[in-house]
Amino acid sequence: MTRCPLSRIRTRPLFLSSWTASTATAVAWDGEPARPRPLSPVNWTNDVAEITLGNADKGNRMRDALLGQRVLITQSLEFMGPALCDVFREQGAEIVASVASLSALDAPAQVVRDAGHIDILVANLAHMAPVTPVTEVSDREWREVFAALVDPLPRLIRAATAEMMLRRSGKVLVIGSASALRGMKRASTYSAARGAQLAYVQAVGVELAPHNIQVNAIAQNFVDNPTYFPPEVQANPRFQERLKREVPLGRLVSAREDAQFAAYLCSPAASCFVGQVFPVCGGWVVR
């Protein structure tokens, strides 16, 4: 068997992000260490990723990861909507930023129709989390939260994926919550609704994967956003103490960090992920 030096092999590299490492070292097949090579984030050219890792503090980031992609982002003024729109535009996407209410039965399908052709659906659904003790949760509260966070989801995906299935290409990303992954007091309604979202993503993801449609979710908490962590909450000393106590990162994940990860999950580099739930919460949950 002939050994071939690593330097003679051309490969298509895996995606590695600037937050995973600052350098990478390879070992050649002949046992000699290859010369360390600085790497920078992804740059797609002719469907091939040019990937490098660099120093995070130098501001390295993905480039043109979504070039030519048309993306529908729902509730674009709430939750992660503003950051998603900004970062996805930077990555070359054409954004359809919807501010329409999704509560009516036919509203999600109408939003998709109005958007026209889309390559990617980002289901960004927000509703204020009630803090009701479990013994006092009313049927009205339960239905209102599920109507806002759960009911629109299958309607959006049903409408958006019909065309994706015909052309055998598409991506769906649900912006969910890590509250479904860790128990919290006085959050039973909200956690149950967010949990339903994640269970739905896992089931739909494996069903649509054979059609070359990737459906995944981000389960986040302690991410800077105007809906759940407005400035007045962040300035509260009790919240700051809770942050230090519960979040290993010791700070909020920035909206930009979260949106950049979302952009990666919607890029061609992430086409291997199927029905997966990715916690983004500074270590608040790790599963």
Side-chain angles (χ1 to χ4, degrees), residues 49-272:
E50 174 192 334
I51 304 189
T52 52
L53 271 182
N55 236 330
D57 57 7
K58 291 183 179 179
N60 291 334
R61 62 179 187 272
M62 297 186 299
R63 299 189 304 273
D64 298 333
L66 300 174
L67 190 63
Q69 300 295 293
R70 201 158 191 270
V71 184
L72 170 60
I73 299 176
T74 65
Q75 290 186 243
S76 60
L77 297 180
E78 302 175 62
F79 195 17
M80 298 310 301
L84 290 167
C85 289
D86 288 346
V87 170
F88 277 48
R89 283 195 186 98
E90 290 175 4
Q91 295 303 319
E94 178 186 350
I95 304 300
V96 181
S98 173
V99 297
S101 169
L102 298 171
S103 58
L105 185 64
D106 59 347
Q110 187 62 52
V111 165
V112 173
R113 282 194 298 270
D114 291 344
H117 169 86
I118 58 171
D119 301 291
I120 300 163
L121 166 66
V122 180
N124 175 63
L125 302 173
H127 190 275
M128 292 308 298
V131 289
T132 312
V134 64
T135 55
E136 299 175 19
V137 173
S138 66
D139 288 345
R140 179 178 179 180
E141 175 187 305
W142 186 269
R143 277 308 320 148
E144 283 182 352
V145 175
F146 271 71
L149 297 178
V150 181
D151 294 350
L153 193 53
R155 298 166 188 162
L156 282 168
I157 291 181
R158 184 167 60 240
T161 57
E163 182 185 338
M164 293 178 182
M165 291 179 71
L166 290 175
R167 65 174 185 265
R168 294 189 57 77
S169 176
K171 282 185 167 58
V172 177
L173 181 65
V174 176
I175 309 299
S177 172
S179 65
L181 306 178
R182 174 173 166 171
M184 295 190 299
K185 295 178 180 178
R186 298 183 302 279
S188 58
T189 305
Y190 184 78
S191 296
R194 289 299 192 181
Q197 287 183 332
L198 302 187
Y200 180 75
V201 163
Q202 291 177 89
V204 172
V206 298
E207 184 172 340
L208 293 182
H211 300 278
N212 196 32
I213 301 170
Q214 294 83 47
V215 182
N216 296 290
I218 287 176
Q220 65 179 63
N221 195 9
F222 293 104
V223 176
D224 188 9
N225 71 84
T227 301
Y228 298 108
F229 297 101
E232 59 270 24
V233 169
Q234 296 186 39
N236 189 315
R238 293 180 62 186
F239 173 78
Q240 294 170 9
E241 286 300 317
R242 182 188 173 200
L243 193 64
K244 294 175 184 177
R245 183 175 65 251
E246 295 187 20
V247 181
L249 184 63
R251 63 170 176 86
L252 291 179
V253 177
S254 75
R256 184 172 184 82
E257 287 172 319
D258 187 54
Q260 286 178 325
F261 184 54
Y264 163 63
L265 290 177
C266 291
S267 76
S271 294
C272 60

